[in-house]
Amino acid sequence: PVAAASIGQVYKAELKDGTEVAVKVQRPDILESIALDLHMARGLAALLKKLTNTDTDLVGLVDEWGAGFVQELDYRREAASGKLFLEAMAARGLDAVTTAE
């Protein structure tokens, strides 16, 4: 891999026409690992709320954070967001700001 992250790895590849590309691959069984982590975090959040008597919805915070994290597993969505980002930057004349296409 040429890069690694918590949920995947990036490999350098070449298309049949010779174009160099990056291929992002998710780690096997990552959704199950994330689900377990979030389940444990929810339990800890509930316990912390009880122990500290806070008014903050800690379980709700974990749920919101977790929903965003799970959305990062959708690489097609990420690619579509990247395209929209590029279009928005170009519309503002900020062509130097870029992301993967």
Side-chain angles (χ1 to χ4, degrees):
V2 294
S6 59
I7 64 171
Q9 296 177 325
V10 179
Y11 294 89
K12 185 177 179 180
E14 188 174 302
L15 299 178
K16 289 181 181 180
D17 68 3
T19 304
E20 286 188 357
V21 295
V23 178
K24 193 171 181 182
V25 180
Q26 280 185 11
R27 296 185 188 279
D29 303 319
I30 193 64
L31 182 58
E32 290 82 1
S33 295
I34 290 171
L36 178 58
D37 289 349
L38 291 173
H39 177 73
M40 293 183 343
R42 288 183 98 244
L44 289 172
L47 179 63
L48 184 61
K49 180 177 175 80
K50 186 180 280 190
L51 291 174
T52 62
N53 198 27
T54 183
D55 288 335
T56 303
D57 182 5
L58 297 177
V59 173
L61 287 172
V62 169
D63 287 346
E64 284 298 313
W65 177 78
F69 199 80
V70 169
Q71 286 179 359
E72 288 185 27
L73 296 174
D74 186 346
Y75 288 171
R76 290 187 176 134
R77 179 185 174 128
E78 181 182 13
S81 294
K83 184 177 179 182
L84 290 173
F85 176 78
L86 284 175
E87 291 170 1
M89 293 301 101
R92 290 168 176 78
L94 299 172
D95 296 331
V97 178
T98 189
T99 188
E101 291 186 44

